[in-house]
């Protein structure tokens, strides 16, 4: 019996050596060549941000545990300095919130340091504190980044989808990550705008906790709308790959509204001057009254 066991053990060892030799000849396996993604996102803003803009940044920081925050950037012209900050923090993605005139917010999404980068205009901002929705998710959990079917129609939208995927998807190697998936980050493309929504995944109906699991979605927040302006080949600059010809800057919109109001005031004053001149001509054309004061008391 001992001889049989010894013979079977030797045969098994020979098979293991043979399989190892075959694997070495064939090359490395797929598991050995797999490299985990180690993307980190740098988040910073410019001077002049308002309270609502800061709350939006705080909500995004809660949703993305792989982000690193930095202090406010003093300059608005030398944006290439952000690539150096991303290099210091070992970040490969950048979210830069640029505030203009304390009311306009622009969001730069860039792959540092070589690009590409997207410049967008942020509108319809609603933070978690404003919405006060019933949904809730674990702090530091991973979110499933999803896109609707309109992102595969154009090359520019495909490029934006790839940048959003690298920036907003949390890698498994994040230190602050909790191994739990309970919410969905949805990016929808409608009317040449990008609509962002955040939903919680509920396994069971709260009204019937003992019933069968019925997955459903409940919106948490925040929510905002991005209008893409330009896509640059480099990071925060370079040749323009895409330009939105339908975009009108908010400063131009306000200038046109002020011009319309000024035109209304100008038309009203011109009408008033014409009325006064017409009344003066009418008084001059009338014959002199015999009962006028200057004749009666002459």
């Amino acid at each position: 019996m001992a001889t049989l066991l010894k013979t079977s053990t030797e045969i098994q060892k020979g098979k293991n050596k043979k399989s190892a030799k075959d694997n070495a000849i064939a090359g490395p396996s797929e598991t050995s060549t797999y490299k985990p993604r180690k993307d980190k996102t740098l988040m910073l803003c410019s001077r002049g941000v308002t309270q609502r803009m800061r709350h939006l940044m705080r909500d995004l920081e809660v949703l993305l545990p792989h982000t690193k925050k930095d202090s406010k950037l003093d300059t608005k012209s030398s944006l290439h300095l952000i690539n150096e900050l991303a290099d210091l923090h070992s970040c490969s993605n950048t979210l830069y919130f640029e505030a203009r005139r304390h009311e306009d917010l622009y969001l730069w999404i860039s792959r540092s340091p070589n690009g590409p980068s997207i410049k967008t205009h942020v509108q319809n901002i609603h933070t978690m504190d404003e919405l006060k929705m019933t949904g809730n998710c674990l702090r530091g959990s991973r979110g499933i980044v999803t896109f609707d079917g309109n992102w595969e129609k154009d090359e520019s939208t495909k490029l934006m989808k790839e940048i959003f995927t690298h920036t907003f998807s949390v890698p498994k190697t994040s230190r602050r990550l909790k191994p739990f998936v309970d919410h969905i980050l949805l990016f929808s493309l409608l009317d040449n705008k990008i609509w962002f929504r955040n939903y919680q995944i509920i396994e069971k109906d709260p009204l019937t906790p003992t019933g069968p699991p019925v997955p459903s979605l409940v919106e948490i927040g925040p929510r905002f709308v991005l209008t893409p302006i330009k896509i640059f080949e480099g990071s925060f600059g370079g040749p323009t790959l895409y330009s939105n010809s339908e975009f009108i800057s908010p400063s131009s919109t306000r200038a046109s509204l002020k011009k319309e109001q000024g035109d209304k005031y100008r038309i009203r004053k011109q009408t008033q001057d014409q009325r006064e001149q017409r009344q003066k001509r009418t008084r001059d054309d009338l014959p002199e009254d015999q009962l006028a004061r200057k004749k009666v008391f002459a």
Side-chain angles (χ1 to χ4, degrees):
M1 187 68 181
T3 307
L4 293 175
L5 290 175
K6 184 178 180 181
T7 306
S8 62
T9 305
E10 291 177 354
I11 293 172
Q12 186 67 27
K13 288 181 179 179
K15 288 183 179 180
N16 294 337
K17 290 181 180 179
K18 186 177 180 181
S19 60
K21 185 178 180 180
D22 294 340
N23 292 335
I25 295 173
S29 60
E30 293 182 0
T31 56
S32 61
T33 58
Y34 173 73
K35 293 183 180 180
R37 187 168 59 91
K38 297 183 179 181
D39 286 340
K40 297 179 182 178
T41 303
L42 176 66
M43 183 183 298
L44 71 162
C45 63
S46 65
R47 295 287 180 182
V49 292
T50 60
Q51 183 180 8
R52 176 171 292 183
M53 299 175 188
R54 287 195 301 269
H55 286 185
L56 177 62
M57 292 183 60
R58 184 186 61 187
D59 294 343
L60 290 179
E61 184 185 4
V62 172
L63 293 179
L64 307 176
H66 67 299
T67 57
K68 290 188 176 182
K69 289 191 67 176
D70 201 341
S71 58
K72 296 179 181 179
L73 191 68
D74 291 332
T75 178
K76 294 185 180 180
S77 57
S78 302
L79 297 182
H80 62 275
L81 299 176
I82 303 177
N83 295 324
E84 300 179 4
L85 295 176
D87 188 19
L88 291 175
H89 291 279
S90 301
C91 296
S92 57
N93 306 300
T94 305
L95 288 174
Y96 174 59
F97 293 86
E98 182 181 0
R100 297 287 182 90
R101 299 183 179 181
H102 300 277
E103 51 185 342
D104 302 331
L105 181 62
Y106 295 90
L107 175 60
W108 287 81
I109 308 172
S110 174
R111 289 281 294 174
S112 300
N114 299 323
S117 57
I118 309 173
K119 183 181 180 181
T120 60
H121 179 226
V122 187
Q123 294 175 304
N124 301 334
I125 300 174
H126 297 281
T127 60
M128 290 184 182
D129 296 336
E130 293 177 352
L131 295 176
K132 295 182 180 180
M133 293 186 174
T134 58
N136 191 11
C137 65
L138 180 65
R139 185 184 181 94
S141 61
R142 296 182 69 191
I144 303 175
V145 181
T146 58
F147 300 87
D148 62 354
N150 298 327
W151 291 85
E152 301 295 333
K153 294 182 179 180
D154 196 3
E155 295 296 332
S156 60
T157 55
K158 290 181 181 179
L159 179 59
M160 287 190 290
K161 177 182 177 181
E162 189 69 20
I163 297 175
F164 281 122
T165 302
H166 282 276
T167 305
F168 288 91
S169 62
V170 183
K172 296 181 180 179
T173 57
S174 180
R175 294 184 178 181
R176 294 184 296 173
L177 174 66
K178 296 180 180 178
F180 196 74
V181 178
D182 60 350
H183 63 102
I184 293 177
L185 304 179
L186 176 62
F187 292 91
S188 303
L189 196 62
L190 182 64
D191 297 334
N192 294 329
K193 298 179 183 295
I194 302 169
W195 303 70
F196 175 83
R197 295 292 184 270
N198 180 29
Y199 297 96
Q200 179 193 2
I201 303 174
I202 298 179
E203 295 292 340
K204 293 185 178 181
D205 189 1
L207 299 178
T208 57
T210 59
V214 181
S216 59
L217 299 178
V218 177
E219 187 176 356
I220 306 174
R223 59 167 66 168
F224 54 87
V225 180
L226 300 176
T227 304
I229 303 174
K230 287 185 179 181
I231 300 178
F232 299 97
E233 183 178 356
S235 180
F236 299 99
T240 303
L241 302 179
Y242 168 79
S243 179
N244 189 3
S245 58
E246 298 180 358
F247 175 74
I248 301 175
S249 63
S251 58
S252 301
T253 304
R254 288 191 295 268
S256 62
L257 292 176
K258 290 182 180 180
K259 185 178 180 182
E260 291 179 0
Q261 295 175 357
D263 292 340
K264 291 180 180 179
Y265 176 76
R266 191 180 304 107
I267 292 172
R268 186 171 69 250
K269 295 300 293 183
Q270 289 178 358
T271 305
Q272 183 179 357
D273 295 339
Q274 292 176 1
R275 183 172 61 252
E276 292 178 355
Q277 293 177 3
R278 185 171 58 253
Q279 292 176 355
K280 184 178 179 180
R281 287 196 303 269
T282 303
R283 289 194 300 269
D284 295 341
D285 294 341
L286 289 177
E288 188 176 1
D289 189 5
Q290 297 299 326
L291 299 177
R293 180 177 296 180
K294 58 183 181 181
K295 285 195 172 185
V296 174
F297 299 98

